């Protein structure tokens, strides 16, 4: 989405959208649908990869659930990213997003430094056991998997509503 906003800023597209027969809310909605379609295409490509992997003997497949949950995680991230891009423009919006990413990175680093010791070989073995169906996810992760689509799509819709409210303020800022 940042690339789309950046191209619009360079070409003055947002001024054209405000004067076009379709309103700016429809333009924003089309960007949301385009982003979701691009993310979903990655899941479709992964499904074909899984099918091919199942046909080849000796390959490990079964990571489709990770791909689908990854789709919802990306949608959740886009729900956070879009309003920043529309309000502050691509150049300034990336500064705010980078701050959020750095904060999450610092929290992860603190957890890894002071949290329980993790053995990478055990984690990889556990993931392969999950893929083969020999292990179960913890209950809390199963609940996350159940509610993640609803949370992600709800956040995406709320993000659309916020983007519609902040779009005109952003256009005034980066059109000048």
């Amino acid at each position: 989405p940042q690339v789309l906003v950046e191209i619009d800023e360079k070409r003055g597209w947002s001024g054209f959208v405000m004067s076009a027969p379709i309103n700016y809310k429809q333009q924003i909605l089309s960007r949301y649908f385009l982003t979701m379609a691009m993310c979903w295409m990655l899941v479709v490509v992964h499904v074909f990869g899984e099918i091919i992997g199942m046909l080849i003997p000796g390959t490990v497949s079964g990571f489709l659930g990770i791909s689908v949950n990854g789709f919802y995680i990306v949608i959740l991230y886009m729900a956070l990213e879009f309003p920043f891009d529309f309000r502050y423009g691509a150049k300034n919006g990336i500064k705010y997003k980078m701050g959020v990413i750095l904060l999450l990175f610092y929290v992860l680093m603190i957890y890894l430094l002071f949290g329980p010791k993790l053995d990478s070989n055990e984690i990889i073995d556990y993931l392969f056991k999950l893929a083969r169906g020999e292990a179960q996810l913890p209950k809390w992760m199963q609940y996350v998997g159940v509610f993640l689509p609803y949370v992600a799509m709800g956040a995406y819709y709320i993000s659309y509503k916020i983007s519609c409210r902040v779009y005109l303020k952003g256009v005034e800022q980066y059109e000048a």
Side-chain angles (χ1 to χ4, degrees), residues 10-165:
K10 288 180 182 175
R11 299 194 178 180
W13 178 257
S14 48
F16 172 73
V17 167
M18 291 186 337
S19 64
I22 64 166
N23 62 19
Y24 66 94
K25 290 181 181 181
Q26 292 169 332
Q27 174 67 18
I28 293 170
L29 184 63
S30 69
R31 287 188 191 177
Y32 273 79
F33 278 129
L34 177 66
T35 302
M36 187 179 292
M38 289 188 310
C39 292
W40 191 248
M41 285 306 297
L42 292 174
V43 174
V44 170
V45 168
H46 189 256
V47 167
F48 285 127
E50 283 286 320
I51 292 171
I52 292 170
M54 284 188 267
L55 297 175
I56 301 172
T59 59
V60 176
S61 61
F63 293 103
L64 187 59
I66 295 172
S67 177
V68 172
N69 283 333
F71 165 77
Y72 288 114
I73 290 170
V74 169
I75 290 297
L76 193 59
Y77 175 74
M78 294 295 172
L80 297 172
E81 183 177 0
F82 266 128
F84 285 113
D85 283 343
F86 286 127
R87 174 60 179 97
Y88 299 108
K91 291 180 183 176
N92 292 330
I94 199 165
K95 294 175 188 174
Y96 294 105
K97 290 181 290 190
M98 204 58 196
V100 171
I101 290 171
L102 284 175
L103 177 70
L104 292 174
F105 177 75
Y106 287 139
V107 168
L108 178 66
M109 286 295 109
I110 289 171
Y111 176 76
L112 290 175
L113 286 172
F114 301 111
K117 183 180 178 229
L118 300 174
D119 184 15
S120 61
N121 290 332
E122 289 179 17
I123 294 172
I124 292 171
D125 290 339
Y126 179 70
L127 289 176
F128 277 108
K129 286 179 183 177
L130 275 176
R132 286 187 238 127
E134 299 170 2
Q136 291 287 334
L137 285 173
K139 278 288 189 198
W140 69 270
M141 286 184 98
Q142 291 176 6
Y143 289 128
V144 167
V146 168
F147 291 112
L148 181 64
Y150 301 109
V151 170
M153 298 311 287
Y156 206 61
Y157 177 75
I158 292 169
S159 172
Y160 165 71
K161 290 297 188 180
I162 292 171
S163 293
C164 288
R165 288 183 175 248

